[in-house]
Amino acid sequence: MIRSLGLLLIACSWVVTGWAATEPYGYPFDDPFVATVVGTPDEDKAKFDIHVPTKRDSLTVFKDREVPDFLFYEAKLRYSYALQKKAAPLVFLIAGTGGAYNGGHISAQAKAFYHAGFHVVSLSSPTIPNFVVAASKTSVTGHAVHDAEDLYRVMELINTKLLKKTKITDYFLTGYSLGGFNAAFVSWLDEQRKVFNFRKVLLINPPVSLYSSISLLDRMLENIPGGVDNFPTYYSNIVSAFGKLYVRAERLDFSEDFLYRVYEALQPKNEELAALIGLSFRFSSAHLAFASDVMTDYGYVKPKNVRFTRNTDPGDYRRVVFRLGFTDYFHDYFYPYYKSLDPALDRHEVVEAMSLKRIEDYLHNADNIYVMHNHNDLILEAGEIDFFPRVFGERAKIYPTGGHLGNMEYKDNVAHMVDVFKSAVSGQEL
Amino acid sequence: MTTPALRSALYLLLASLLLMSGCSTAPKQQGDTVEEAFFTPEKILGGGVTEYEDQEIYDPWQGFNRTMYRFNYYFDKYIFLPAVIGYFKITPDPVEKGIHNFFRNIQDLTTLYNSILQLNVEKTMNTTTRLLVNSTIGLLGFLDIANDVPRSDEDFGQTLGYWGVGTGPYLVLPVLGPSSVRDGIGQGVDWLAYNEMRRRATDMEAWQETGMDLLRAIDLRAHVKFLYYETNSPFEYELVRMLWTTKRELDIER
């Protein structure tokens, strides 16, 4: 009996392997932590031998906005675009948590789409200080609907500017990580406003529920050697290692490359990788919370009646904000802030609302929204991945490995990403 | 000889002192008492914190430094970067590369005497080789023929560090950016030495010297891959200060 059960299991696994074998996937790292940190080795990346004529630009989103002295340099929203020489469809790209318009992943995406004949516009994530200061109506970002409205406003402004320079035949939209989540809500908003009428929308490794993803990410710092209490020493070690890397590094920013450089230099053990991922998101949450607090004078870490000048040393306030995570931001700033605007809000309902489940019916019925995801993505709770095949059906492409965004620049993934949009305009000359 | 340079240095010092007195790093408080934020340093960091996340960098002139950092941002945005972009537009790549090699070759002179002053035989030998080969067959340094010989960058600030002189306060210099009192003095000494060598070796007119200095500045900026206020951190000043300090420590160790 047991033996035949064993045979049955072996037979089943053959069948499963048989399915998998129809589509061999060559991404090199099976471990989701390694994948997330290391990304795609250079030789496995999609390569395009072209020069992208990227232009950097900036725009004033709110004419009457008062920008605090301390953040004077963030008054205008920075973005970039690259235009084809003739009429072409345009892709809007939205970066993920803490990502700017000129980061590594988004630039790689821009190159791939430009190569395929699209105009491209690269937008920063609403979570970075520049967006918080220049483009968010409330300056308290991370809200599914408000972020989408902010992004929509920015996209309309940029679109108006670009239409003076070129012809745009169609609109496409994509984003990765939180940017994918943003893209879903922007598309949902476009159903009502109908400015862009996106031909296709592609969500890459989006969270399902924002709250469960930020909880997972905050908990990753518990993997710090010696526990969370050891944060100061750990942080100091990492930062000094990063300093050493910088000596050899070519440029300095907090893009996705940060993790890779730290990994290369320290060769950390597997369990330490989780802490590294947590730390990288901690930078994002600290930068977001601080910039937002300075904008609104809400009194999260900076006392309400204390104003920073252009020369103010943030001192201990900076140290405090690095000890706080996304969940602190949610419970002790984000939620109370929106509650003060609308007393009828309920904490649990807000958590529920910051989720793709909120627009599940829309996502299920909209046949132009596609998703790419990984079975072992670290920002999803166990079982959350099933949401995508269930809701998107054939429009969901789930890879067996890749962790969180690790395989985003892998050649197969890039080819699929481009194909999703290109198939919509096939027959048309690009 | 170097009186104009000396004079401008003095003006600079004077202006700096004036500026420093007018730059406070304290925030502006409204009302008599500070309202408590939700998370206070007492609550989060605990009383009597001794261990901070970051090493403390001695920065007593922070007000001046932050002002200067901002000045450098504007200078970079409105003068330096447009000049660099214009330079790249009008200069063919091989010429630009040649000019870069030429100035690197001149920089090797600075490395040479500082390697000697640091009693570093290996670096002295390598730098001498590079200089001899590149200045002759390399056509005054336009070609980096001695590419295979390891190149290092030694300056007088590092020499002082080698002989045990501490960094002193962190200092953001106009245009030149992050430095310290020790390294600022080092940069001054290297600059004077460079001018003296140039005066003895060539008979350039003052305007030619100025032109060469401007070109060198543009070439230098073109090869520093940094943009002000593009790190996406509201704590960029601290970040740059930490990275620069770490970099100098490593430079001296090497």
Side-chain angles (χ1 to χ4, degrees), chain B residues 122-152:
Chain B
E122 192 190 340
K123 280 180 183 165
T124 304
M125 300 277 284
N126 285 340
T127 311
T128 309
T129 312
R130 286 184 51 85
L131 269 165
L132 286 176
V133 174
N134 285 343
S135 305
T136 52
I137 348 176
L139 309 172
L140 285 175
F142 278 93
L143 301 174
D144 189 1
I145 304 278
N147 198 15
D148 293 340
V149 184
R151 183 174 185 275
S152 37

Side-chain angles (χ1 to χ4, degrees), chain A residues 103-120:
Chain A
H105 281 327
I106 199 168
S107 303
Q109 266 187 308
K111 192 166 194 178
F113 282 119
Y114 186 84
H115 179 260
F118 294 85
H119 301 309
V120 285

